[in-house]
Amino acid sequence: MEVAILGATGLVGQIFVRLLENHPWFKIERLVASERSKGKKYREIAEWVSDDTGDIEVESLEDFLKNPDVDLVFSALPSSIAGKVEEKLAEKIPVFSNASSHRYEDDVPILVPEVNADQLKLIEFQQEQRGWEGFIVTNPNCSTAILMLSLKVLSEFGLKKVNVATMQAISGAGFKGLSALQIFDNVIPYIEKEEWKIENESRKILGFDFEMSAITTRVPVSHGHTEAVFVELSEDISVEELRKAFDSFDPLKKLKLPSYAKPIVYKEIPQPKLHRKLGNGMTVTVGRLEKIGKKKFKYVTLGHNLVRGAAGGSILNAELSYRLGVIK
Amino acid sequence: MEVAILGATGLVGQIFVRLLENHPWFKIERLVASERSKGKKYREIAEWVSDDTGDIEVESLEDFLKNPDVDLVFSALPSSIAGKVEEKLAEKIPVFSNASSHRYEDDVPILVPEVNADQLKLIEFQQEQRGWEGFIVTNPNCSTAILMLSLKVLSEFGLKKVNVATMQAISGAGFKGLSALQIFDNVIPYIEKEEWKIENESRKILGFDFEMSAITTRVPVSHGHTEAVFVELSEDISVEELRKAFDSFDPLKKLKLPSYAKPIVYKEIPQPKLHRKLGNGMTVTVGRLEKIGKKKFKYVTLGHNLVRGAAGGSILNAELSYRLGVIK
Amino acid sequence: MEVAILGATGLVGQIFVRLLENHPWFKIERLVASERSKGKKYREIAEWVSDDTGDIEVESLEDFLKNPDVDLVFSALPSSIAGKVEEKLAEKIPVFSNASSHRYEDDVPILVPEVNADQLKLIEFQQEQRGWEGFIVTNPNCSTAILMLSLKVLSEFGLKKVNVATMQAISGAGFKGLSALQIFDNVIPYIEKEEWKIENESRKILGFDFEMSAITTRVPVSHGHTEAVFVELSEDISVEELRKAFDSFDPLKKLKLPSYAKPIVYKEIPQPKLHRKLGNGMTVTVGRLEKIGKKKFKYVTLGHNLVRGAAGGSILNAELSYRLGVIK
Amino acid sequence: MEVAILGATGLVGQIFVRLLENHPWFKIERLVASERSKGKKYREIAEWVSDDTGDIEVESLEDFLKNPDVDLVFSALPSSIAGKVEEKLAEKIPVFSNASSHRYEDDVPILVPEVNADQLKLIEFQQEQRGWEGFIVTNPNCSTAILMLSLKVLSEFGLKKVNVATMQAISGAGFKGLSALQIFDNVIPYIEKEEWKIENESRKILGFDFEMSAITTRVPVSHGHTEAVFVELSEDISVEELRKAFDSFDPLKKLKLPSYAKPIVYKEIPQPKLHRKLGNGMTVTVGRLEKIGKKKFKYVTLGHNLVRGAAGGSILNAELSYRLGVIK
């Protein structure tokens, strides 16, 4: 399938390109960015790419929209412009979006294949309701995406309550998001709308209500969001049972999706520098699991914010859709 | 009063010296360290000190113990050797210790003046029981000390439950505690015994039982521990009431202790780089306070781990004891 | 004397304020910034200031220029707008500028009091030529200012040639100058026009021609520029003679300028974290001095880029001018 | 050929393993470390390795020496013990060593294949003189290795003089070499013996005498040494000629050595974060080339200290020796 990447020159856009080079199902045909990059060869922006991708001339969003002749669109657009552009494209083409613009609409899935593959069924409803031939599928906010995998396992035992404190990497704020003097030697416990996103996306993804509260912070780490999690369940299981549930969680193994990796790996002391690249960035790490009371546990999880938390998640969504025949 | 500082060349020991230079009540007479530093002028170790302090010749612990002729001892010894040394000295002399060796003994107070000044009464009991003329007073572990001030305010409303995730500075591990490659671009969610200390010291200091669980991490910040806190109270107060309680918390103002500063200052976005030095390192910052449910709140607090969390706390303990006539 | 600070909310502007609070000769009367800060109390921008300074309402440059009724102006304006503004003000008022706009004009001194106090005489010439009552005195670019002090000492032995490689701090680029992802885990060997500035300002300041070449880099350090220097002299002196010349360099001691500190201190291994604050930021450190051939030496020097390299240098210039009666 | 890696668990040792996994000529048979790691599977130390390598049981140096039955040894031993061990092994087996112990002996080559392949001829002399069947070939110190490639190109035009200031990465000091508090927010302009090594190894490798002086510093960068270089030649060439000489430098292309990559790539602004991995870590980057006077240039070069500067260099030496039939 021929694909276009919107926002191809940003941090997330570049990860889309990196992950889609040599993809067995999807072929990068068009790279779309702002007017500023229009006409440049992609290798001027990202010198590590293959000859084929490097030769692609970046086009402006305006030009692309005049003739969006691809089978599939990946969107890494800023939320401020993603809303309308994605709607326009979805009239004809499937759009897999990393932007938050449509996440909270009832007929748009926030998809994490290992967690809520069943929400793909929303697409039919979305198409009917909106009269579209294409559709929009979103992936969650980065820190939510990383957290979802362990919460899915926990939900098997009746998830009642979650307190989570995140330590998020600089790259989550975009290339120019944080000045060096702001974050150097610092922890900044404020990320705009992030806590709201984690709390609300989590409930929509898991599909049931539970108590959840997040404190989100930015720390001087390049890539990889770490999250300290306290949970309360409705069943009283042992730490061994839970550990076993984490270890055996491998729900989509049989589908052989190209980007799929074992979703959770357990390490005694999970650390972003050591573990963010596991499973080519698609695996999250869980560790330091302890039982802290009847039905209560604490643990630490982490994952690559730009892969599992952004581009990689979106690609896995497209792979699932393709495998299940939702896109043809 | 003439004081000795044990472990004077370490990170905490140097903060003791810095804070006690020009102290109105205490005069540094003796600086004690390991055999390795014996005989050096203190200015060879810490070039920023005054002429008087710089001229003091560092003596070995062994030599000091032969003739510990001072009114007061501050101990920044490593826990591995603090136990016996402090006991020996306490037979005759008041010892204010930053080591954990004696913290968990029933007749030894873990003192935070603003929180549990009443525990000073344990000293009389300690002296009787052990037949000592001196005594041992400890201050808490650094991350506990910082957390105690806000928890004290919360305890006025019936503290039932605390989940806390810490983001602790490199300097908390000592000068050689972490190698650069370990912590660079990393978060390490493991600090030996730290979670146990926070949970158990907190209950001893506040003097009642409550549910508490901590996840402690090390982040690439030089100084200042940041803590993300989720609490549940037995009373249902408003966020304004709680904010007001934080703002008005100033319990020892009247005692005019030299190192005392307003214990809590509220900032919208507390950050170690900006706020760790408030109140000369004795003030903790609280911020991002939100109500997250009936009787439930979340907030962030931070403080200087080497001052409020170590040397400064110990000095305040000595000042309180002196003011109240416990040491003469 | 009543002073105004232009650009008072930027990094350098804030250092001006910090250094001028409680200054014995100069009193901060007016704080001037962009339209965006107009009307704010200064304490909203810099919470650490005294009550008096905190109470000052920031005014816009436009408003200030309508009524610039002060005895002295310190300018931390960006070079893009400093040129005309400073000229306008200098018609009536002495302007001490940290901007590069006028540095390279023949009748404007680039002043470093310990190095070329005699260039103050240019002022009379400047006033005559331009018909001004006030004048403009500039201080050098930050990395030049730090380097000048050791080069002055070397020039006593016939400075023939300098190769210098700088390792400059993040704060030299301004608060938003570098994004965290750019400089994190990186060295960036490019700073716009910096090498040209060092080479040309050095010759103008020292007042004679010599071979000079600089490579300037940005490193992940908050404050303090470090410089590795290779020099060739016309005299063949010993390392001891040169070391002695560094140690005894103290040319303005007798003037008792409030901001003056011994200009050079020698340390075996100069390091920005340990030494940038010596002399309240006005002292540069020299170290690792070695003779590497006949008439050839290498050494390392460093200094605080925002103090010695910017605001502090400018204030020392004003103090010298005041002491010598150039401003009254 | 079956190879053993000595010091296989250290930073350099792990890079040896990473680079030799799937090597077409060399097969890792034995992994040797200190007594402490004896008996552990290698995957317990380095979890990223392949199944085959992960299954290898680490043996102690003592055990290995009893039966060193391999075709080739790579040594990443600390210099303190490398001397005698390597000599003992070289009686029978070729040893490619990253240690400095034998570098300065007349009959031991410091080999950089692109620079002084002809020094391989020393081996025959070494074997005769010492009565060995094997031999020792060393690679240079990390910062020397990176610098050699550009200096080789310059030497074609008569290299007369070099001043170099290095900005070296933390990993050059080993895993525990620098504490986090030492290097955080700091530049440390002292690395033991490093300046001596650069100056003396450079002359031995290039095979002629020239003036050279180095100032070496440690900066807060994980991997990649950056070097600011000032040179003087005996010929007066243009910057274009020199640039062309850098671009066309590709001396061993025809040998098709597995680890060989184009040795020099030119980038406008070389940066360790962006360029240290070029050529799989074997390519050095040169940039910012400017002519600064008649016969004088300045430029910046950088390379991966653990690959080009250590393990990769040593492997390239072995590949060259194998290709040329020196080892069979």
Short mmCIF file of all heavy atoms in Angstrom, two decimals, chain C residues 102-111 115-116 118-119 122 138 144 148 197-210:
data_model
loop_
_atom_site.label_atom_id
_atom_site.label_comp_id
_atom_site.label_asym_id
_atom_site.label_seq_id
_atom_site.Cartn_x
_atom_site.Cartn_y
_atom_site.Cartn_z
N HIS C 102 27.67 48.67 18.81
CA HIS C 102 28.63 49.77 18.62
C HIS C 102 30.07 49.38 18.90
O HIS C 102 30.96 50.23 18.80
CB HIS C 102 28.24 50.95 19.53
CG HIS C 102 26.91 51.52 19.17
ND1 HIS C 102 26.72 52.33 18.09
CD2 HIS C 102 25.69 51.35 19.74
CE1 HIS C 102 25.43 52.67 18.00
NE2 HIS C 102 24.79 52.07 18.99
N ARG C 103 30.29 48.11 19.23
CA ARG C 103 31.64 47.71 19.66
C ARG C 103 32.73 48.01 18.65
O ARG C 103 33.87 48.26 19.02
CB ARG C 103 31.66 46.20 19.93
CG ARG C 103 31.24 45.83 21.32
CD ARG C 103 31.44 44.33 21.53
NE ARG C 103 30.46 43.84 22.50
CZ ARG C 103 29.93 42.64 22.46
NH1 ARG C 103 30.27 41.79 21.52
NH2 ARG C 103 29.06 42.29 23.38
N TYR C 104 32.36 47.93 17.37
CA TYR C 104 33.44 47.98 16.38
C TYR C 104 33.61 49.36 15.76
O TYR C 104 34.29 49.52 14.76
CB TYR C 104 33.19 46.87 15.34
CG TYR C 104 32.84 45.58 16.03
CD1 TYR C 104 31.56 45.03 15.91
CD2 TYR C 104 33.75 44.96 16.89
CE1 TYR C 104 31.22 43.88 16.61
CE2 TYR C 104 33.41 43.81 17.59
CZ TYR C 104 32.15 43.27 17.45
OH TYR C 104 31.81 42.15 18.15
N GLU C 105 33.00 50.35 16.39
CA GLU C 105 33.17 51.71 15.91
C GLU C 105 34.41 52.33 16.56
O GLU C 105 34.70 52.09 17.73
CB GLU C 105 31.90 52.52 16.23
CG GLU C 105 30.71 51.98 15.41
CD GLU C 105 29.35 52.47 15.91
OE1 GLU C 105 29.30 53.35 16.80
OE2 GLU C 105 28.33 51.95 15.41
N ASP C 106 35.12 53.14 15.77
CA ASP C 106 36.44 53.64 16.20
C ASP C 106 36.42 54.46 17.47
O ASP C 106 37.38 54.44 18.25
CB ASP C 106 37.04 54.52 15.09
CG ASP C 106 37.62 53.67 13.98
OD1 ASP C 106 37.74 52.43 14.17
OD2 ASP C 106 37.94 54.23 12.91
N ASP C 107 35.34 55.18 17.67
CA ASP C 107 35.31 56.08 18.83
C ASP C 107 34.57 55.50 20.02
O ASP C 107 34.26 56.19 20.99
CB ASP C 107 34.70 57.44 18.42
CG ASP C 107 33.29 57.29 17.86
OD1 ASP C 107 32.88 56.13 17.61
OD2 ASP C 107 32.61 58.32 17.67
N VAL C 108 34.27 54.21 19.95
CA VAL C 108 33.58 53.55 21.07
C VAL C 108 34.53 52.53 21.71
O VAL C 108 34.99 51.61 21.04
CB VAL C 108 32.30 52.83 20.59
CG1 VAL C 108 31.65 52.07 21.74
CG2 VAL C 108 31.32 53.83 19.98
N PRO C 109 34.81 52.71 22.99
CA PRO C 109 35.70 51.75 23.63
C PRO C 109 35.01 50.41 23.90
O PRO C 109 33.82 50.37 24.22
CB PRO C 109 36.08 52.42 24.96
CG PRO C 109 35.11 53.52 25.18
CD PRO C 109 34.41 53.82 23.89
N ILE C 110 35.76 49.32 23.72
CA ILE C 110 35.37 48.03 24.32
C ILE C 110 36.22 47.93 25.57
O ILE C 110 37.43 47.67 25.50
CB ILE C 110 35.67 46.83 23.40
CG1 ILE C 110 35.10 47.05 21.99
CG2 ILE C 110 35.09 45.56 24.01
CD1 ILE C 110 35.36 45.88 21.04
N LEU C 111 35.60 48.16 26.68
CA LEU C 111 36.37 48.39 27.90
C LEU C 111 36.41 47.16 28.81
O LEU C 111 35.40 46.51 29.06
CB LEU C 111 35.73 49.56 28.67
CG LEU C 111 36.50 50.15 29.85
CD1 LEU C 111 37.83 50.75 29.38
CD2 LEU C 111 35.67 51.21 30.56
N VAL C 115 42.32 45.82 31.84
CA VAL C 115 43.13 45.61 30.64
C VAL C 115 43.41 46.91 29.89
O VAL C 115 44.54 47.18 29.49
CB VAL C 115 42.41 44.61 29.71
CG1 VAL C 115 43.15 44.44 28.39
CG2 VAL C 115 42.23 43.26 30.41
N ASN C 116 42.39 47.70 29.69
CA ASN C 116 42.57 48.88 28.84
C ASN C 116 41.82 50.10 29.37
O ASN C 116 41.11 50.79 28.63
CB ASN C 116 42.13 48.57 27.39
CG ASN C 116 40.64 48.25 27.31
OD1 ASN C 116 39.98 48.05 28.34
ND2 ASN C 116 40.11 48.24 26.11
N ASP C 118 42.79 52.84 29.87
CA ASP C 118 43.17 54.05 29.13
C ASP C 118 42.20 54.34 27.98
O ASP C 118 42.13 55.48 27.51
CB ASP C 118 44.59 53.91 28.60
CG ASP C 118 44.72 52.70 27.68
OD1 ASP C 118 44.20 51.62 28.04
OD2 ASP C 118 45.32 52.83 26.60
N GLN C 119 41.46 53.34 27.52
CA GLN C 119 40.56 53.59 26.39
C GLN C 119 39.37 54.46 26.79
O GLN C 119 38.59 54.89 25.94
CB GLN C 119 40.09 52.27 25.76
CG GLN C 119 41.22 51.57 24.99
CD GLN C 119 40.70 50.70 23.85
OE1 GLN C 119 39.54 50.76 23.49
NE2 GLN C 119 41.59 49.89 23.28
N LEU C 122 38.74 57.64 24.98
CA LEU C 122 37.97 57.72 23.72
C LEU C 122 36.66 58.48 23.90
O LEU C 122 36.09 58.99 22.93
CB LEU C 122 37.65 56.32 23.21
CG LEU C 122 38.69 55.62 22.33
CD1 LEU C 122 38.16 54.24 21.95
CD2 LEU C 122 38.99 56.45 21.09
N THR C 138 31.13 50.09 25.65
CA THR C 138 30.71 48.69 25.55
C THR C 138 31.65 47.79 26.34
O THR C 138 32.77 48.16 26.66
CB THR C 138 30.72 48.20 24.08
OG1 THR C 138 32.08 48.17 23.62
CG2 THR C 138 29.91 49.13 23.19
N THR C 144 35.28 36.63 24.90
CA THR C 144 36.42 37.55 24.79
C THR C 144 36.77 38.13 26.17
O THR C 144 37.94 38.20 26.56
CB THR C 144 36.08 38.73 23.85
OG1 THR C 144 35.47 38.23 22.67
CG2 THR C 144 37.32 39.52 23.50
N MET C 148 40.46 37.95 27.93
CA MET C 148 41.29 39.15 27.94
C MET C 148 42.22 39.25 29.13
O MET C 148 43.34 39.74 29.02
CB MET C 148 40.39 40.40 27.93
CG MET C 148 39.89 40.81 26.58
SD MET C 148 41.21 40.93 25.34
CE MET C 148 41.10 39.30 24.62
N LYS C 197 34.19 37.60 16.52
CA LYS C 197 34.18 38.55 17.64
C LYS C 197 35.42 38.39 18.51
O LYS C 197 36.08 39.37 18.86
CB LYS C 197 32.93 38.33 18.50
CG LYS C 197 31.63 38.84 17.90
CD LYS C 197 30.46 38.57 18.86
CE LYS C 197 29.12 38.93 18.22
NZ LYS C 197 27.98 38.52 19.08
N ILE C 198 35.71 37.16 18.89
CA ILE C 198 36.87 36.94 19.76
C ILE C 198 38.14 37.50 19.12
O ILE C 198 38.92 38.21 19.74
CB ILE C 198 37.05 35.43 20.05
CG1 ILE C 198 35.90 34.93 20.91
CG2 ILE C 198 38.39 35.16 20.73
CD1 ILE C 198 35.96 33.44 21.22
N GLU C 199 38.33 37.18 17.85
CA GLU C 199 39.56 37.57 17.18
C GLU C 199 39.66 39.10 17.05
O GLU C 199 40.71 39.70 17.31
CB GLU C 199 39.63 36.89 15.81
CG GLU C 199 39.79 35.37 15.92
CD GLU C 199 39.42 34.59 14.66
OE1 GLU C 199 39.28 35.24 13.59
OE2 GLU C 199 39.27 33.36 14.74
N ASN C 200 38.57 39.73 16.67
CA ASN C 200 38.63 41.17 16.41
C ASN C 200 38.52 42.02 17.65
O ASN C 200 39.17 43.06 17.76
CB ASN C 200 37.56 41.53 15.37
CG ASN C 200 37.97 41.03 13.99
OD1 ASN C 200 38.78 41.65 13.33
ND2 ASN C 200 37.47 39.85 13.61
N GLU C 201 37.70 41.59 18.59
CA GLU C 201 37.61 42.35 19.83
C GLU C 201 38.92 42.28 20.60
O GLU C 201 39.36 43.28 21.19
CB GLU C 201 36.45 41.84 20.68
CG GLU C 201 35.09 42.08 20.03
CD GLU C 201 33.92 41.56 20.87
OE1 GLU C 201 34.13 41.18 22.03
OE2 GLU C 201 32.79 41.54 20.33
N SER C 202 39.54 41.12 20.60
CA SER C 202 40.79 40.97 21.35
C SER C 202 41.84 41.97 20.87
O SER C 202 42.53 42.60 21.68
CB SER C 202 41.35 39.55 21.17
OG SER C 202 40.48 38.61 21.77
N ARG C 203 41.96 42.10 19.56
CA ARG C 203 42.97 43.03 19.04
C ARG C 203 42.62 44.48 19.38
O ARG C 203 43.49 45.27 19.74
CB ARG C 203 43.10 42.86 17.52
CG ARG C 203 43.69 41.52 17.13
CD ARG C 203 43.99 41.44 15.65
NE ARG C 203 44.26 40.06 15.26
CZ ARG C 203 43.40 39.26 14.62
NH1 ARG C 203 42.21 39.71 14.25
NH2 ARG C 203 43.73 38.02 14.32
N LYS C 204 41.35 44.81 19.30
CA LYS C 204 40.96 46.18 19.63
C LYS C 204 41.19 46.47 21.12
O LYS C 204 41.68 47.55 21.48
CB LYS C 204 39.48 46.41 19.28
CG LYS C 204 38.99 47.82 19.63
CD LYS C 204 37.62 48.16 19.05
CE LYS C 204 37.18 49.55 19.52
NZ LYS C 204 35.86 49.94 18.99
N ILE C 205 40.86 45.52 21.97
CA ILE C 205 41.00 45.74 23.41
C ILE C 205 42.47 45.86 23.80
O ILE C 205 42.86 46.75 24.54
CB ILE C 205 40.32 44.60 24.19
CG1 ILE C 205 38.81 44.67 23.99
CG2 ILE C 205 40.68 44.66 25.67
CD1 ILE C 205 38.06 43.43 24.41
N LEU C 206 43.29 44.93 23.30
CA LEU C 206 44.70 44.95 23.67
C LEU C 206 45.45 46.07 22.96
O LEU C 206 46.50 46.52 23.42
CB LEU C 206 45.35 43.59 23.40
CG LEU C 206 44.90 42.49 24.36
CD1 LEU C 206 45.42 41.13 23.93
CD2 LEU C 206 45.36 42.79 25.80
N GLY C 207 44.93 46.49 21.82
CA GLY C 207 45.51 47.67 21.17
C GLY C 207 46.72 47.40 20.30
O GLY C 207 47.45 48.33 19.95
N PHE C 208 46.95 46.14 19.98
CA PHE C 208 48.02 45.85 19.02
C PHE C 208 47.62 44.60 18.23
O PHE C 208 46.70 43.89 18.61
CB PHE C 208 49.36 45.64 19.73
CG PHE C 208 49.37 44.52 20.74
CD1 PHE C 208 49.70 43.22 20.37
CD2 PHE C 208 49.04 44.78 22.06
CE1 PHE C 208 49.70 42.19 21.31
CE2 PHE C 208 49.04 43.76 23.01
CZ PHE C 208 49.37 42.47 22.62
N ASP C 209 48.34 44.38 17.16
CA ASP C 209 47.98 43.28 16.29
C ASP C 209 48.74 42.01 16.66
O ASP C 209 49.90 42.06 17.08
CB ASP C 209 48.31 43.67 14.83
CG ASP C 209 47.49 42.83 13.87
OD1 ASP C 209 46.42 42.34 14.27
OD2 ASP C 209 47.95 42.65 12.72
N PHE C 210 48.10 40.90 16.54
CA PHE C 210 48.78 39.61 16.75
C PHE C 210 47.95 38.55 16.05
O PHE C 210 46.78 38.75 15.75
CB PHE C 210 48.97 39.31 18.24
CG PHE C 210 47.70 39.31 19.03
CD1 PHE C 210 47.04 38.13 19.34
CD2 PHE C 210 47.12 40.51 19.48
CE1 PHE C 210 45.86 38.12 20.08
CE2 PHE C 210 45.93 40.51 20.20
CZ PHE C 210 45.31 39.32 20.50
#
